[in-house]
Amino acid sequence: MGTLCCVPCQARDMTGKAGIGALATTSGMQFLTLRYWRTNVATEVLAGWQSLAENSVDAADVTQLRVGLGLSYRIGDQPKASLTAGVRPWMQIEYRTVRVDTTDQTNTYLRYGVEFPLQGEYFVSDNFSVVGTVGVSVAFGAPVGVAQDALTQETRDGSVLVTLGGGFSGGLGMSYYF
């Protein structure tokens, strides 16, 4: 009689699993992601690169490289889905080359910040998942090449950038676990 009252545990066991994936963010930068689960906590490494070139005089060519580390804690779990909250410190190096007449001038900018993402993950199969992320992001440094949209606002002096859904903290992706 007591076995009829028991509810089976249907949570997905991700302990010891590693995954590789891709994340496309609302800022337009694509990232390679590596994630490793240890019980209810996951660690991740993200790396992204993009290069934008314009072919006109006085135009800027911009190359950005961004890396980040993340720590996520599982706050909800179902048989085919999980919800995590976490923290992701990151750093971005940007090279901006401006062509003036026949000479090129290259400047290097450093940005860094931290994000607090809320991430939902839906498992299509035991090894493949689709990931959606949104969160608050705080960035410091020169806001060079930052797209202005409805989700991004910056201060007039350009020293602090606070976003909802930008950078690493907003986007869609996929992961393959092995």
Side-chain angles (χ1 to χ4, degrees):
M1 183 70 170
T3 58
L4 295 175
C5 297
C6 295
V7 178
C9 179
Q10 297 184 22
R12 179 170 300 281
D13 184 19
M14 297 301 292
T15 304
K17 290 190 178 181
I20 186 168
L23 177 65
T25 66
T26 56
S27 68
M29 189 179 287
Q30 290 79 31
F31 295 93
L32 176 67
T33 62
L34 301 171
R35 185 176 300 126
Y36 178 74
W37 279 98
R38 193 71 198 144
T39 59
N40 287 334
V41 176
T43 56
E44 61 185 352
V45 177
L46 297 100
W49 173 82
Q50 75 177 359
S51 184
L52 307 168
E54 295 182 20
N55 294 324
S56 62
V57 177
D58 296 336
D61 294 341
V62 179
T63 301
Q64 298 173 332
L65 173 65
R66 186 183 289 190
V67 293
L69 300 173
L71 188 64
S72 297
Y73 181 75
R74 187 177 306 139
I75 57 175
D77 208 7
Q78 292 295 316
K80 291 220 171 241
S82 66
L83 182 66
T84 62
V87 60
R88 288 183 185 147
W90 56 267
M91 182 179 71
Q92 176 176 306
I93 298 172
E94 182 171 309
Y95 301 100
R96 181 172 281 265
T97 303
V98 178
R99 282 182 235 107
V100 180
D101 297 327
T102 59
T103 61
D104 290 347
Q105 179 183 1
T106 301
N107 294 316
T108 303
Y109 299 95
L110 177 66
R111 288 185 61 79
Y112 55 93
V114 63
E115 297 170 333
F116 302 96
L118 182 65
Q119 180 169 278
E121 189 168 18
Y122 178 76
F123 292 89
V124 178
S125 69
D126 286 341
N127 297 81
F128 182 74
S129 70
V130 177
V131 179
T133 304
V134 67
V136 176
S137 175
V138 178
F140 301 94
V144 178
V146 176
Q148 293 296 315
D149 55 30
L151 298 177
T152 305
Q153 298 298 319
E154 65 182 89
T155 61
R156 283 283 176 212
D157 65 359
S159 60
V160 177
L161 178 71
V162 178
T163 65
L164 176 61
F168 286 112
S169 60
L172 292 173
M174 61 183 178
S175 293
Y176 179 80
Y177 289 95
F178 44 94

